[in-house]
Amino acid sequence: VIREMSQARGAPHVVIIGGGGTGGAVAHDLALRGLRVTLIERGEITSGTTGRHHGLLHSGARYAVKDRESAVECIQENQILRRIAPGSFELNDGLFVAVTAEDEAYEPTFFESCLAAGIPARRVEREEALRLEPNLNPALRRAVQVPDGTMDAMRLPLRFMATAKRNGATIKPFTEAVAVTMVRSPKGRCVTGVSVRDHTTGRGYDIGADVVVNAAGPWAETVARMAGVDVPIQVSPGILVAVRGRFCNMVINRLHESGDGDIVLPQRELSVIGTSSWVTDDPDHLAVPADHVEMMFHEGSTMIPAIRAAETRATWSAARPLIGERGAATGRELSRTFKCFDHAADEGVEGFVTISGGKATTRRAMAEATANVVCQKLGLDSPCRTREYPLLPHTDYYA
Amino acid sequence: MNAEVDPHRDTHATAGTGRAVRFRVFRFKQGDRAPHFDEFTVDVGEQTTVLDALTAIRSRLDPTLTFRHSCFHASCGTCGVRVNDREAMACVTYVRDLAASVVKVEPIANQALVADLVTDMADFYARFNAIGRPLLQDSDWLPEAVPPPGVPSYSRFENCIECGLCLSACPIVGTDARYLGPAALAAAWRVVEEPRGLDARAVLALTDDCQASWRCHVAFECSEACPSNVDPAGRIMLLRRRQTGERLRRFMARRRA
């Protein structure tokens, strides 16, 4: 029925599977380009990885040394998000703190790499760092200031979705994809839509689509299998610990190579310590290993000693959907950049696109790349407008 | 950290290692004549939260169970429910702390039901948006801290996580839909206290009404239910005091005129 309507109204219809940060940004981008958009999500919006992330607006500094491409993406998108979503970020900047002699020896490489990636970094001496953040470990040696920020992990995606809705998109939470419908085509198979189950009614129905976008994050492989294709996703969970007390206003990072427990973020009256990294095949059952919790307290208190005695508010795990070959040991060695897969090219399935990898900070760029692929497939010449388009407030989503 | 982590070791809801707890869960789908309760038994451990138990029920026992969740640390406000007749965020409610032998889980009250534990937040935001409080406030933590170059002053998100637990707990909201309710009134006080570009006088006047600040019966149920230290009832009292002051000033000005 929806397919007939779409043909009647002229604009192609795109169904997006996955209501996280990426799916919401894709819905917004495609709606702005004049397409008809339906987003379906199994649970509530942002109930997968997006809502569980630590809420860091990356400056890109964390990736500057080893993953330049991701670092450049992050700083560019950091600046765009500040412009299109004002009022959604605690813009208190971040500090990378060198605590040990080893950290201090790493500082020149780190600092130069930040500048080379276009990240405006500033060297901060010990005394100044302690004035900026009085709870920092007084044993710290030096620090580097970078334009990190924090976001509300749910309310930023809601702004993309609220804006998409205003521009005509339909957002359907509690609507689970159970099958991808296909017909045979001269080159292989062609996707015609999605069969869904509406968990608010208990009933199933079909939604027709010209293109289906798989934005299911760590579930992308499950969704891809519905279309008979494969995506090289490595599900890499990490643990997060929220403790009572706001011990910093800036984002505090450990100035050394990416490692466990290397970040502390303020969030309302809490501090969130992250994270660890391992690999799993099952994003529905994420462990919360007790030794990882202890490690967060240990590493977190190396930067902010008061964390050691803080009361735990919550412990949880979030699954990163990284791109890479299976067999990775911990997930840390995989790039944090994103990739858009057009499954027509290699696997002969027309009308099916997967977007995965990436970061919460780079969701808009991920959406732009995905929408470019979708428009190219549909033969549309419609430019991306999301770099400048201001987003509606999150409160408009439910209104 | 390491690749040897057993994905089933130390999980919040671990099969076989904990004690079996019965959950009575409210069920309703659009088109049903009436809601009912389903019972599920879940093995819980020391760290199992009500949200972990609901997730385990959905993934292992009944994939049609529908509930809201997102952040898992009471910062997003989505997983508000009623546990054994008390408002609670499912993600920070530990099963070990619940005294009853059966855990009853119901949707929050005084809001339109969508399905199972899901309620429609449109009514909450209709009230909230009438006030229009910004998401950010000046940071009140570490007052001695000096912000770095490029940061004029430290900011932070408001405490209210828009969960609706206060509306669920409020005895007035339950009987009179016209009452603006505790969340929006608490937001109004924040605008009066720190306008951040909004018109505080207009908000003060808007809430100086028999269906706004003056409708509260001072039961303090909202402040009891709030998981995020907003203290809506306390803020309604502050609104009243300011509104009374304004009225008195207007009265005295008229007398002098």
Side-chain angles (χ1 to χ4, degrees):
Chain A
V1 174
I2 290 174
R3 187 177 184 87
E4 284 163 14
M5 278 169 55
S6 99
Q7 283 164 351
R9 288 176 46 179
H13 183 224
V14 179
V15 170
I16 300 160
I17 302 175
T22 308
V26 173
H28 167 57
D29 191 314
L30 290 172
L32 265 187
R33 297 195 205 207
L35 277 80
R36 298 191 58 245
V37 176
T38 303
L39 181 152
I40 59 172
E41 161 58 47
R42 173 175 84 163
E44 176 59 293
I45 292 307
T46 72
S47 56
T49 295
T50 296
R52 294 176 221 196
H53 93 91
H54 46 29
L56 174 63
L57 176 68
H58 263 282
S59 62
R62 173 48 71 206
Y63 306 121
V65 176
K66 288 221 163 156
D67 192 352
R68 170 77 58 87
E69 189 185 0
S70 293
V72 171
E73 273 168 17
C74 281
I75 187 60
Q76 288 174 350
E77 292 303 314
N78 175 310
Q79 286 157 352
I80 292 171
L81 287 176
R82 288 167 188 248
R83 204 161 61 226
I84 65 173
S88 273
F89 305 104
E90 293 181 2
L91 295 175
N92 297 336
D93 279 7
L95 278 185
F96 277 71
V97 296
V99 181
T100 63
E102 202 182 329
D103 294 353
E104 199 172 17
Y106 186 65
E107 194 265 2
T109 311
F110 173 81
F111 183 74
E112 294 304 325
S113 300
C114 284
L115 296 186
I119 299 161
R122 184 180 76 93
R123 286 189 152 127
V124 178
E125 297 301 323
R126 176 183 173 274
E127 291 69 26
E128 188 191 351
L130 291 170
R131 281 198 298 275
L132 305 179
E133 287 295 353
N135 282 330
L136 284 175
N137 186 345
L140 80 99
R141 290 155 184 260
R142 53 176 53 254
V144 174
Q145 180 190 346
V146 295
D148 282 345
T150 63
M151 65 178 86
D152 182 304
M154 181 183 199
R155 286 172 179 80
L156 182 64
L158 287 184
R159 293 188 71 167
F160 280 91
M161 294 196 206
T163 313
K165 276 170 80 171
R166 178 70 61 86
N167 289 320
T170 303
I171 312 279
K172 291 175 172 288
F174 312 111
T175 302
E176 183 168 9
V178 294
V180 171
T181 55
M182 290 184 283
V183 293
R184 291 204 169 281
S185 75
K187 289 180 191 161
R189 286 164 298 157
C190 181
V191 167
T192 59
V194 185
S195 295
V196 302
R197 175 173 288 274
D198 179 341
H199 289 302
T200 68
T201 62
R203 286 193 284 275
Y205 60 96
D206 289 348
I207 305 175
D210 298 291
V211 174
V212 171
V213 174
N214 171 12
W219 290 273
E221 193 174 13
T222 311
V223 171
R225 270 195 221 113
M226 293 179 192
V229 295
D230 192 34
V231 287
I233 296 299
Q234 183 62 261
V235 179
S236 172
I239 194 186
L240 293 130
V241 174
V243 295
R244 286 188 191 273
R246 186 180 168 102
F247 294 110
C248 49
N249 284 303
M250 305 176 79
V251 178
I252 306 300
N253 303 267
R254 184 78 178 270
L255 204 169
H256 62 23
E257 287 188 20
S258 278
D260 298 320
D262 62 9
I263 186 166
V264 180
L265 301 101
Q267 197 173 95
R268 295 194 169 80
E269 297 188 339
L270 306 173
S271 299
V272 176
I273 314 155
T275 176
S276 60
S277 187
W278 69 95
V279 295
T280 179
D281 292 327
D282 183 1
D284 279 318
H285 301 103
L286 300 178
V288 181
D291 54 338
H292 287 215
V293 175
E294 173 49 33
M295 186 168 61
M296 293 305 112
F297 275 97
H298 177 78
E299 294 295 330
S301 61
T302 306
M303 294 186 284
I304 298 177
I307 283 172
R308 172 47 73 193
E311 181 195 340
T312 303
R313 175 66 158 163
T315 57
W316 72 102
S317 293
R320 308 172 185 89
L322 303 181
I323 303 161
E325 300 309 317
R326 252 165 281 298
T330 67
R332 287 229 188 269
E333 63 273 30
L334 299 173
S335 168
R336 302 303 162 87
T337 190
F338 60 86
K339 192 161 173 7
C340 186
F341 302 87
D342 177 354
H343 298 280
D346 296 339
E347 293 151 298
V349 173
E350 191 46 77
F352 191 74
V353 172
T354 296
I355 173 69
S356 199
K359 305 288 304 169
T361 300
T362 61
R363 71 188 69 180
R364 190 216 59 85
M366 296 167 73
E368 178 176 346
T370 309
N372 285 345
V373 170
V374 169
C375 286
Q376 191 189 17
K377 292 176 78 65
L378 293 167
L380 299 173
D381 182 21
S382 182
C384 176
R385 293 166 59 201
T386 58
R387 282 168 190 264
E388 304 297 337
Y389 197 93
L391 301 174
L392 291 173
H394 79 273
T395 48
D396 282 20
Y397 174 77
Y398 289 106
Chain B
M1 180 190 70
N2 60 69
E4 287 85 52
V5 174
D6 173 358
H8 297 293
R9 181 171 60 100
D10 302 326
T11 344
H12 281 173
T14 310
T17 59
R19 68 194 166 97
V21 172
R22 276 193 302 152
F23 285 80
R24 261 172 72 75
V25 183
F26 182 96
R27 303 304 301 269
F28 175 80
K29 299 292 182 193
Q30 297 283 321
D32 286 359
R33 282 214 196 106
H36 67 278
F37 283 88
D38 279 342
E39 281 209 6
F40 304 97
T41 301
V42 181
D43 277 355
V44 304
E46 227 354 66
Q47 299 294 322
T48 306
T49 64
V50 170
L51 180 56
D52 292 328
L54 293 173
T55 306
I57 292 168
R58 183 179 64 189
S59 63
R60 297 198 170 105
L61 302 172
D62 184 349
T64 71
L65 179 64
T66 305
F67 49 97
R68 303 175 70 222
H69 68 77
S70 180
C71 79
F72 284 77
H73 62 291
S75 193
C76 73
T78 55
C79 70
V81 287
R82 288 194 304 150
V83 178
N84 294 339
D85 302 311
R86 302 291 295 180
E87 281 69 21
M89 298 309 294
C91 65
V92 289
T93 302
Y94 291 87
V95 178
R96 63 167 192 249
D97 297 335
L98 301 170
S101 61
V102 178
V103 178
K104 184 172 68 169
V105 188
E106 297 169 281
I108 56 172
N110 306 330
Q111 302 290 298
L113 186 60
V114 175
D116 296 342
L117 302 172
V118 178
T119 54
D120 187 350
M121 295 303 286
D123 169 67
F124 176 92
Y125 283 103
R127 296 163 193 254
F128 204 75
N129 291 355
I131 303 302
R133 190 218 63 203
L135 185 58
L136 286 167
Q137 66 169 86
D138 292 336
S139 179
D140 47 353
W141 291 78
L142 298 166
E144 71 276 30
V146 184
V151 178
S153 64
Y154 284 136
S155 60
R156 74 177 191 88
F157 293 127
E158 284 278 355
N159 274 2
C160 177
I161 54 173
E162 302 159 16
C163 61
L165 291 191
C166 56
L167 288 177
S168 177
C170 174
I172 311 297
V173 173
T175 56
D176 190 346
R178 293 168 301 174
Y179 173 40
L180 189 57
L185 288 169
W189 174 251
R190 286 295 307 141
V191 173
V192 170
E193 217 178 12
E194 191 183 323
R196 295 184 84 88
L198 297 181
D199 185 349
R201 292 188 71 83
V203 168
L204 203 59
L206 187 72
T207 52
D208 188 0
D209 188 273
C210 63
Q211 290 297 349
S213 70
W214 303 102
R215 190 74 173 86
C216 170
H217 281 193
V218 204
F220 274 78
E221 295 286 350
C222 54
S223 294
E224 189 72 26
C226 178
S228 202
N229 290 334
V230 172
D231 184 19
R235 285 173 174 184
I236 293 169
M237 297 308 110
L238 290 166
L239 264 183
R240 284 182 178 180
R241 190 193 299 174
R242 182 67 65 88
Q243 287 160 345
T244 305
E246 290 287 314
R247 281 175 186 226
L248 202 61
R249 209 171 57 211
R250 284 198 301 272
F251 177 71
M252 297 305 281
R254 274 204 303 277
R255 278 191 45 156
R256 275 197 296 272

